[in-house]
Amino acid sequence: MLTRYKHSADIMGRTYNRAILGEVSKEDNQDVTTFLAQLKQSNLFIMERILSKAQLNGEINNTTTDLVKLMPFELLRYRFLISDEPITDDFIAEVVDEIVLPAIMQQQPHA
């Protein structure tokens, strides 16, 4: 999932994404507001599917908060749009292993 985001970022390029960021900063831009709401719902849907599979496999007992579900996407957007650092496979692995999985596991009931 995060690798797909990386691929999309590579294709679209920084100029395109920074133009979107510029539009986001404008007040009362209904198109951007709608786009961001749809993006959020799409990201939540993706994570729900992943977490549902993990539940079926017995890897987790409960789903998690929307904040945790959206976190990997927000980190990738930040890195791509703000920090000027590339989204590498190592970065994606670090986000998953060091941030996302611990956050998900923290919200599971302790036996």
Side-chain angles (χ1 to χ4, degrees), residues 15-111:
T15 303
Y16 174 79
N17 284 302
R18 289 217 169 125
I20 291 174
L21 186 62
E23 289 298 315
V24 169
S25 67
K26 294 179 182 176
E27 291 185 35
D28 299 326
N29 190 330
Q30 190 59 42
D31 291 336
V32 172
T33 302
T34 300
F35 170 75
L36 292 175
Q38 291 171 344
L39 184 62
K40 178 181 177 179
Q41 289 307 311
S42 175
N43 293 163
L44 288 170
F45 177 76
I46 290 167
M47 288 301 291
E48 277 298 326
R49 293 211 38 196
I50 292 168
L51 294 170
S52 292
K53 186 171 181 169
Q55 282 179 296
L56 288 173
N57 291 340
E59 296 167 328
I60 61 172
N61 294 321
N62 299 326
T63 188
T64 189
T65 63
D66 286 355
L67 178 65
V68 171
K69 291 174 196 168
L70 293 170
M71 186 175 29
F73 301 101
E74 298 297 338
L75 288 169
L76 289 174
R77 276 190 282 276
Y78 175 84
R79 184 162 179 115
F80 186 73
L81 294 172
I82 306 298
S83 76
D84 256 350
E85 296 179 58
I87 299 172
T88 63
D89 291 341
D90 288 341
F91 175 75
I92 291 172
E94 186 175 11
V95 166
V96 171
D97 294 343
E98 302 295 329
I99 300 169
V100 177
L101 290 177
I104 291 169
M105 297 313 292
Q106 179 64 32
Q107 294 186 358
Q108 299 305 303
H110 300 288

